[in-house]
Amino acid sequence: MSTQPTVLITGASSGIGATYAERFAQRGHDLVLVARDEQRLQSLAARLREQFAVTVDVLVADLNKAEALGTVEARLRDDASIGVLINNAGLGQSGGFLAQNAESLERLIGVNITAVTRLAAAIAPRLAEAGNGAIVNIGSVVGLAPELGMTVYGATKAFVQFLSQGLALELGPKGVYVQAVLPAATRTEIWARSGLDINTLPEVMEVEDLVDAALVGYDRREPITIPPLAHGERWAALDGARQMLMGDLRQAEVASRYRA
Ligand SMILES: NC(=O)c1ccc[n+]([C@@H]2O[C@H](COP(=O)([O-])OP(=O)(O)OC[C@H]3O[C@@H](n4cnc5c(N)ncnc54)[C@H](OP(=O)(O)O)[C@@H]3O)[C@@H](O)[C@H]2O)c1
């Protein structure tokens, strides 16, 4: 039993989520691991218990199934030991917009948007009430780049970024830290699962490097962490330009360039 908050990690059976699990266990946190693949979760849990002497619970859930999502929400609402949510589970997009169908859109949006939002909503009131805790949402640099051709996936990640920025503004003053992590291409199974060959990419980050960098941002309490971004001032400039644009909006007046 750890004195630190328990960390609930979605998508903990592989890739970024499994690496977060390893790192938080190393830091001495108890864990709740969520994903669909029970065997992989159990074997990771057994290894982490053995190696780091922490308590690790496994919660098997398909976040696209209402009942399973409800179970994870209830755990986040009711288990006062959980102080950190790593909202990581996500799917990639297979093919362009014209290759999508209703089911593939529903699956993508269900995990990348609906589950992320509902899980944050399940834990946020309790953390705000306690005046501490953290919500980490895994976005993507694809959410900044419609040019990359992963339109719906990018849109889900733009949503995650906006959600995180809004939550940081709402919950930050109540003592809750909210971080969005925006990885670029990282060596995990998401590529093969989306039918893409990772070996065709010019550059790929190793997953341990990605998570370690994300945790540097976490420890610094950064609202947005972009591990592959060398020039942090470029993000500041982009955000500054956005805020200036907001200042330029005139609610009551049509801009002169639109007057007939
Ligand atoms: N790798 C990259 O290049 C990259 C770049 C930017 C952002 N990201 C983001 O990073 C996050 C983690 O992805 P990853 O790269 O680590 O890929 P990954 O290895 O494929 O991991 C995805 C995780 O999500 C879980 N998952 C998928 N569908 C689920 C569902 N319906 N219900 C519950 N869990 C589900 C998977 O577990 P089960 O199959 O066991 O359910 C798995 O643990 C995602 O949000 C992804 O969009 C990745």
Side-chain angles (χ1 to χ4, degrees), residues 100-240:
Q100 304 307 307
N101 57 46
E103 290 74 29
S104 68
L105 291 171
E106 186 112 347
R107 265 199 312 276
L108 190 61
I109 291 168
V111 178
N112 292 17
I113 292 185
T114 306
V116 166
T117 311
R118 282 182 52 174
L119 297 182
I123 195 173
R126 195 168 53 67
L127 299 186
E129 173 76 21
N132 58 42
I135 299 172
V136 176
N137 299 317
I138 309 300
S140 169
V141 296
V142 179
L144 299 169
E147 294 78 8
L148 291 175
M150 287 180 265
T151 302
V152 184
Y153 174 77
T156 68
K157 293 304 184 178
F159 176 94
V160 168
Q161 182 193 312
F162 189 110
L163 178 76
S164 306
Q165 289 173 295
L167 290 183
L169 290 170
E170 287 196 50
L171 303 179
K174 299 183 191 307
V176 182
Y177 167 54
V178 182
Q179 180 192 30
V181 177
L182 277 50
T186 305
R187 194 178 308 282
T188 70
E189 293 170 21
I190 200 168
W191 296 92
R193 288 187 203 236
S194 314
L196 298 165
D197 180 1
I198 198 169
N199 297 312
T200 61
L201 301 175
E203 287 187 82
V204 181
M205 189 176 286
E206 298 305 324
V207 68
E208 295 80 8
D209 293 340
L210 181 274
V211 172
D212 287 339
L215 287 168
V216 170
Y218 177 89
D219 291 336
R220 287 182 188 153
R221 294 306 195 233
E222 273 186 0
I224 304 268
T225 298
I226 312 177
L229 180 65
H231 299 283
E233 65 277 12
R234 299 266 164 82
W235 172 263
L238 180 67
D239 205 44

Side-chain angles (χ1 to χ4, degrees), residues 11 13-14 16 36-37 62-63 88 153 157 186 188 191 193:
S13 61
S14 66
I16 294 170
R36 292 167 301 178
D37 188 328
D62 181 339
L63 296 174
N88 160 79
Y153 174 77
K157 293 304 184 178
T186 305
T188 70
W191 296 92
R193 288 187 203 236

